[in-house]
Amino acid sequence: MTTPSARTARTGTSPAGIRAARFVTGLTTRTADRLLGTALAVAACDPPAALHASPLVKVLVVVAAAAAWWAAPMADARPVLTSWHWRNVATRYRTTVLPAAAIAVSAATGPALPVAVCVAALLLAYLLVTDAWTAGVTAPPGRPRATPALAAAAATAVVLLAAQAPVADTSWARLPASLAVAATMVCLVLALRGRRGGAA
């Protein structure tokens, strides 16, 4: 059996060099995921407003972009969590936290309509590219790829149009908000039932 030191000596590469190569490989894998996730995070920060903001805000945008670059790649693995340590949890659910955080930041910044459309398009593209249920190696065989994409695009369009509806200052603003929450819950239940049925 060849020991790690013998293999290192044979290849002429030091352990530090191997670790550096693995680190670089980890940062450059799944480039499309990283580019979409980083663009989503930056767009959610409302770049036109961030350009004229304080230096602290600009630093926070850079930090958000760096965090998104790390978190963006798809976690294409079986849904098994070996530890509840915060690092393992963050690594496991990073592709869920990233779009959720982007939506929260975008809602807080209240960007103009063109930026909101850009955020919605990037969110849709990122979710479709990184969804292990449809694009990963663990996806059930034979599932149609076009149906989830069309459904996600339609849902994104509906949410974007609803978000732009001028009802926030009206006396009946709670009605569309309640309907939106109810529709979200129904879609979530249907999605979970579909996944459970596909896994059976």
Side-chain angles (χ1 to χ4, degrees):
M1 177 179 287
T2 306
T3 62
S5 59
R7 286 195 297 268
T8 301
R10 183 183 302 168
T11 58
T13 306
S14 65
I18 293 175
R19 285 193 296 270
R22 289 178 179 172
F23 179 74
V24 171
T25 301
L27 287 181
T28 55
T29 53
R30 301 197 63 88
T31 306
D33 297 4
R34 294 185 187 277
L35 291 177
L36 285 172
T38 304
L40 172 62
V42 173
C45 295
D46 194 2
L51 289 176
H52 305 288
S54 64
L56 177 60
V57 173
K58 295 177 181 178
V59 170
L60 290 177
V61 173
V62 174
V63 171
W69 183 266
W70 168 80
M74 175 175 60
D76 193 11
R78 295 291 179 185
V80 177
L81 187 64
T82 57
S83 171
W84 283 102
H85 191 273
W86 70 269
R87 289 183 181 177
N88 293 332
V89 174
T91 301
R92 181 67 190 172
Y93 297 106
R94 65 186 187 276
T95 54
T96 301
V97 174
L98 173 58
I103 293 171
V105 171
S106 181
T109 56
L113 180 59
V115 179
V117 172
C118 182
V119 171
L122 288 170
L123 176 64
L124 175 62
Y126 176 75
L127 292 177
L128 290 177
V129 168
T130 59
D131 184 20
W133 185 252
T134 56
V137 297
T138 58
R143 291 188 67 87
R145 302 287 179 92
T147 302
L150 292 175
T156 301
V158 170
V159 170
L160 184 61
L161 291 174
Q164 298 302 318
V167 297
D169 297 326
T170 62
S171 58
W172 50 278
R174 293 184 179 181
L175 176 61
S178 301
L179 293 176
V181 172
T184 302
M185 295 302 297
V186 170
C187 291
L188 180 60
V189 170
L190 291 176
L192 291 176
R193 285 186 61 185
R195 295 197 173 198
R196 188 178 300 115

